[in-house]
Each structure stands twice: as C-alpha cells, then as structure tokens.
Amino acid sequence: MKTSILHSLNFLKKRKLLLILPLLVLPCLYAVFYCLGGGRGPKKQEAATHIIMGFNTELPEPIFDKKEEKMTKFEFYQKA
C-alpha cells in the first residue's frame, strides 16, 4: 500500500513541517541565548564585588578570663 492512499495530503504536509521545525527553531533559540549573555559566566570584577548571602559557618573565638585559662574541661562543667 502506498502512503498517499493511507494519509491525506494535508497530513503529509503537516508531518514534513513538524520534522523540519526543530531545525529552524533551535538555531534561533541558541542565538537569543547567546545575545542575552548566556553561558559566559560572571565577569571577574563583578565576582569580586558580589556579596554572597547564606549561612555563616564560622564560629567566633571563645573569650576566657585569665583565671579560667588554667581550668580543665571538668572544672568548666562544674562551674556551669
């Protein structure tokens, strides 16, 4: 059986268009992505001035009295 008998002419045109459509759309999307600065990463100057927000993972240094410098760990527990 021939495909022209099974499918109408409109269906064959639509199928050909849907086959070629990605070949036309993908280069255009790539060009828009590139023009908008996609894939380049931040500039070095911008990266230095950029403030990073998030959790502070550094703990402050402990402040001890001069008397407490000679205490052991167990004596600190007893004091607490």
Side-chain angles (χ1 to χ4, degrees):
M1 289 187 225
K2 294 184 178 183
T3 58
S4 61
I5 297 172
L6 297 175
H7 300 294
S8 66
L9 186 59
N10 289 336
F11 176 77
L12 293 175
K13 286 182 180 181
K14 184 177 178 180
R15 184 169 68 177
K16 185 183 259 187
L17 176 69
L18 291 176
L19 183 66
I20 296 174
L21 191 64
L23 297 175
L24 299 174
V25 172
L26 288 177
C28 295
L29 287 177
Y30 175 74
V32 170
F33 175 75
Y34 185 75
C35 289
L36 293 176
R40 292 184 191 158
K43 294 180 182 178
K44 292 182 181 179
Q45 292 176 346
E46 291 177 7
T49 60
H50 183 69
I51 299 172
I52 299 173
M53 301 295 289
F55 292 109
N56 184 8
T57 59
E58 297 178 13
L59 295 174
E61 294 293 324
I63 301 171
F64 295 113
D65 292 336
K66 292 184 179 182
K67 298 176 192 174
E68 294 177 349
E69 287 181 9
K70 297 180 182 177
M71 292 175 67
T72 62
K73 188 175 184 179
F74 183 70
E75 290 172 343
F76 277 112
Y77 283 128
Q78 284 181 335
K79 183 180 177 183

